[in-house]
Amino acid sequence: MKKPETQELRTMHAMLCQAIADPTRIALLYELNDGPKNVTQLVNALSLPQGTVSRHLKTLRERYLVHTRRDGSYIHYELADSRVIDALDLMRAIKSDILARQRNLAEAVMK
Amino acid sequence: MKKPETQELRTMHAMLCQAIADPTRIALLYELNDGPKNVTQLVNALSLPQGTVSRHLKTLRERYLVHTRRDGSYIHYELADSRVIDALDLMRAIKSDILARQRNLAEAVMK
DNA sequence: TTCGTATATTCGTTTACCCATATATGCGAT
DNA sequence: ATCGCATATATGGGTAAACGAATATACGAA
């Protein structure tokens, strides 16, 4: 009864995951989780070159994880689906557990 | 009160996400979600070259998303943390919604 | 020891991504 | 039209990661 995902669907799945597989884009997504922001605000918040921010926003846009709303000369970006934050939080929790386990291991070795 | 993640932590976060950003590894993780399997079983399940499977398993191992148990000449792989499946499911749900929206859009244009 | 199966790794190549810098475009104001 | 700011994209270079094919290692059985 379990139908296998086609290769194409899995590739799309992977492309979506790839979108969140970069430190800058992770930071951008969390920033946008606080509310819509324009590019300049994101540049200031992350202290990154404007070109870099725009490039990563393009990646997120192309994968439909953010969308834009023009307001005069500003373009406001916002999260398209807050579940991406849930997914990021899950991965972050996994990471924290891995780190905690390694810390415990290190302590055990020290004694 | 919100402490910013260090760059290093965010990089680790991204490395974990990168681990799930490949179609083959996604397939491997879902396979392992059904229960532990050895490499040959995974090779047969996914119809991929053994070298390819081993290489991707190494990636997952290095990031602590799977762990191994040797049993005679077999090495059984199992999920280290089932939350990674939850994260993958979230991303898959997001993907499905994107596809549905595009289908609706296409239909609307047709009429 | 040798053989056969299971798993891992190496090699060479290609593809894809990241960054920084520079340049281009879009829009409001003058 | 031009100026200035906001945003986007193009270019070039470095690095990482993907693949197939081949080879190496680990283990059990004989």
Side-chain angles (χ1 to χ4, degrees):
Chain A
M1 199 43 93
K2 186 176 52 170
K3 62 181 170 207
E5 242 185 345
T6 68
Q7 180 59 33
E8 189 187 355
L9 283 180
R10 227 195 307 277
T11 299
M12 296 183 56
H13 195 174
M15 283 188 58
L16 221 40
C17 291
Q18 189 129 25
I20 64 170
D22 176 272
T24 301
R25 289 193 293 271
I26 291 174
L28 283 169
L29 290 167
Y30 274 113
E31 277 297 325
L32 292 176
N33 192 39
D34 290 341
K37 291 191 176 54
N38 64 45
V39 180
T40 302
Q41 289 173 319
L42 291 169
V43 166
N44 293 334
L46 304 186
S47 301
L48 288 172
Q50 178 265 323
T52 298
V53 170
S54 276
R55 186 165 22 82
H56 285 291
L57 286 173
K58 179 181 186 175
T59 300
L60 295 173
R61 228 189 306 129
E62 288 171 343
R63 287 158 164 90
Y64 306 99
L65 290 180
V66 301
H67 54 249
T68 57
R69 172 173 47 87
R70 186 174 266 281
D71 172 27
S73 57
Y74 297 89
I75 296 181
H76 294 276
Y77 277 80
E78 57 186 337
L79 278 191
D81 190 328
S82 65
R83 284 175 297 181
V84 72
I85 298 294
D86 299 336
L88 280 171
D89 282 343
L90 276 172
M91 297 307 282
R92 185 152 67 177
I94 293 173
K95 178 206 65 180
S96 296
D97 283 5
I98 293 170
L99 285 178
R101 220 173 303 126
Q102 291 184 337
R103 261 195 305 275
N104 291 340
L105 192 61
E107 279 175 22
V109 170
M110 289 304 180
K111 282 178 188 162
Chain B
M1 200 41 95
K2 185 177 52 170
K3 62 180 169 210
E5 243 185 345
T6 67
Q7 180 60 31
E8 189 188 354
L9 283 181
R10 226 194 306 276
T11 298
M12 298 184 54
H13 194 174
M15 284 186 59
L16 266 192
C17 292
Q18 188 129 30
I20 64 169
D22 177 273
T24 301
R25 289 195 292 272
I26 290 174
L28 283 169
L29 289 166
Y30 275 113
E31 278 298 323
L32 292 176
N33 192 40
D34 290 341
K37 292 191 176 55
N38 64 47
V39 180
T40 302
Q41 289 173 319
L42 292 168
V43 165
N44 292 334
L46 304 186
S47 302
L48 288 171
Q50 178 265 323
T52 298
V53 170
S54 276
R55 189 161 17 85
H56 284 292
L57 286 173
K58 178 181 185 173
T59 300
L60 295 173
R61 227 188 307 130
E62 286 171 344
R63 288 161 163 88
Y64 305 99
L65 291 181
V66 300
H67 54 250
T68 58
R69 173 173 47 87
R70 185 174 265 282
D71 171 27
S73 58
Y74 297 88
I75 296 182
H76 293 276
Y77 277 80
E78 57 187 336
L79 277 191
D81 189 328
S82 65
R83 284 175 297 181
V84 72
I85 297 294
D86 299 335
L88 280 171
D89 282 344
L90 277 171
M91 297 307 282
R92 185 153 66 177
I94 293 173
K95 178 205 64 177
S96 297
D97 283 4
I98 292 170
L99 285 178
R101 219 173 303 127
Q102 290 184 336
R103 259 194 306 275
N104 291 341
L105 192 59
E107 279 174 26
V109 170
M110 288 304 176
K111 284 176 189 164

